[in-house]
Every structure is written in C-alpha cells, then in structure tokens.
C-alpha cells in the first residue's frame, strides 16, 4: 500500500461519522444507503459526502442497483491496512519479534514501561 493510499484511508477514518459508517459495514456487511441514512440520522447530502470520501480512499466500495447504492468494506484494502499495522508492530518489537520491555532495558522511565528498570 502506498503512502498516499494509506493517508487517504486514515483521512477517511479520522471523522467520527465515517468511522461509524465503517463500523456499521463491518457489523452488517453490505448495507444500503437508505439503511445508513436511518441508522445515522443524517441527511442524504451529508451521507453522500462521507461515502465519497470513504469510496475514494478505497476502503469502501459501492454497488448500485436501480435506485440505491449498497456499500461494503473492500476486504483487500482492509487486509493491506492490517498488514501495514502488522509491519509496524513487528518493527516496534524488534527484528527478532521481541516485545518492549525485554531484559536489559535501561530505560529512564523508572519502571513505567514495565521492564522493571
């Protein structure tokens, strides 16, 4: 995932309403725009704006039928975001997968990190 793609996903998720939308999609799978409107209590133009940001980020995809749009999380993009965080966690834990607070820590936080020093 490129930095620009990742930034777009983070920007999309930085808004509380968009995060709520993604949580609804996570919970319910594919959701019709009409159900999102009812569940969120927002206007149609507001929903359209939020869905545009989410779809443009790639995290959400849209399937149109004759009258409504049906939205769902793009599983592949979600996996890529998850993999990015996995790489971050691996890097934070060190090359051998060690966790923070390993033996020999000489941190100056007086034990607040859990290492015991």
């Amino acid at each position: 995932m490129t930095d620009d793609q990742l930034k777009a996903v983070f920007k999309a998720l930085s808004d509380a309403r968009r995060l709520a939308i993604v949580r609804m999609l996570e919970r319910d799978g594919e959701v019709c725009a009409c159900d999102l409107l009812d569940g969120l209590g927002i206007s149609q133009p507001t929903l359209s704006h939020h869905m545009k940001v989410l779809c443009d980020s790639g995290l959400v995809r849209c399937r149109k039928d004759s009258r409504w749009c049906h939205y769902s999380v793009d599983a592949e993009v979600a996996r890529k975001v998850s993999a990015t965080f996995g790489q971050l966690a691996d890097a934070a834990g060190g090359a051998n997968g060690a966790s923070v607070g390993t033996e020999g820590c000489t941190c100056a936080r007086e034990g607040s990190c859990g290492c015991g020093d």
Side-chain angles (χ1 to χ4, degrees):
M1 189 164 223
T2 69
D3 287 350
D4 286 341
Q5 290 169 322
L6 200 55
K7 285 189 300 188
V9 170
F10 287 150
K11 178 183 176 185
L13 294 175
S14 69
D15 180 88
R17 284 199 174 136
R18 290 192 290 268
L19 185 57
I21 291 166
V22 170
R23 291 290 191 185
M24 286 178 72
L25 298 177
E26 171 192 30
R27 183 187 65 229
D28 300 333
E30 187 177 80
V31 179
C32 177
C34 60
D35 294 327
L36 289 170
L37 284 169
D38 291 341
L40 296 168
I42 59 177
S43 68
Q44 189 278 325
T46 300
L47 178 64
S48 291
H49 165 73
H50 288 306
M51 297 317 298
K52 178 175 180 3
V53 173
L54 286 166
C55 289
D56 286 351
S57 78
L59 185 59
V60 172
R61 61 182 169 201
C62 175
R63 180 183 62 81
K64 295 181 182 183
D65 68 15
S66 60
R67 183 167 179 212
W68 292 102
C69 292
H70 300 268
Y71 296 99
S72 60
V73 171
D74 186 313
E76 185 60 29
V77 173
R79 280 189 205 93
K80 288 178 181 179
V81 172
S82 179
T84 299
F85 277 103
Q87 292 168 351
L88 178 64
D90 290 346
N96 62 359
S99 63
V100 174
T102 59
E103 288 185 33
C105 179
T106 58
C107 105
R109 293 188 283 173
E110 300 176 22
S112 64
C113 74
C115 70
D117 285 351

